[in-house]
Amino acid sequence: MFPRILALAATAFVGIGMVSGGGRISGSSPAEEEGRWNGHGSEFLEFTDGDLRGSDGCNGVAGSYVRDGDALEFRRGMSTMKACLGVDTWLRTAARARVDGDTMTVFDRDGTRIGTLTRAA
């Protein structure tokens, strides 16, 4: 009886490990956008396995992203809406981005360039 329970537990453990892998093949390198990207102030975006989170220096943003060719397409989720004097809220209108080495250029829905972020060290 004990060996059977042990075998079932091992199978469940392996299954959980496979499901929680975030869709990435074990041993493969992360996508070029993964990680934290900083602006010129306190704004940042962070990309992890399709999840997006960040801040414009005052308000937090969250959502997801998908790769669309050589661009990233943002799907915005929840964000805070505090009034913040002296904070440039350009990041709130981000809809797409392109990565070129350690620079991420960010665009709004109309395709207008609204800013750049730099890969965090």
Side-chain angles (χ1 to χ4, degrees):
M1 178 75 166
F2 181 72
R4 185 175 183 195
I5 292 172
L6 186 59
L8 286 172
T11 301
F13 181 74
V14 169
I16 290 170
M18 291 174 71
V19 169
S20 67
R24 186 181 304 151
I25 298 170
S26 178
S28 68
S29 60
E32 65 180 332
E33 70 272 1
E34 297 244 333
R36 183 177 169 119
W37 296 80
N38 296 321
H40 299 290
S42 56
E43 67 273 8
F44 74 93
L45 287 177
E46 201 165 82
F47 300 86
T48 309
D49 290 332
D51 291 328
L52 165 69
R53 73 174 197 86
S55 173
D56 61 9
C58 177
N59 287 291
V61 297
S64 62
Y65 70 94
V66 293
R67 180 162 284 285
D68 181 15
D70 63 346
L72 303 174
E73 191 80 34
F74 301 156
R75 296 186 177 148
R76 299 295 296 271
M78 296 177 51
S79 67
T80 58
M81 298 290 290
K82 298 183 284 184
C84 307
L85 298 175
V87 175
D88 185 355
T89 59
W90 67 272
L91 206 50
R92 203 177 344 181
T93 62
R96 295 178 63 88
R98 290 192 191 281
V99 175
D100 183 18
D102 289 337
T103 301
M104 178 179 287
T105 305
V106 183
F107 304 89
D108 66 11
R109 287 184 190 266
D110 298 326
T112 303
R113 181 185 168 274
I114 58 173
T116 59
L117 302 168
T118 305
R119 185 183 307 274

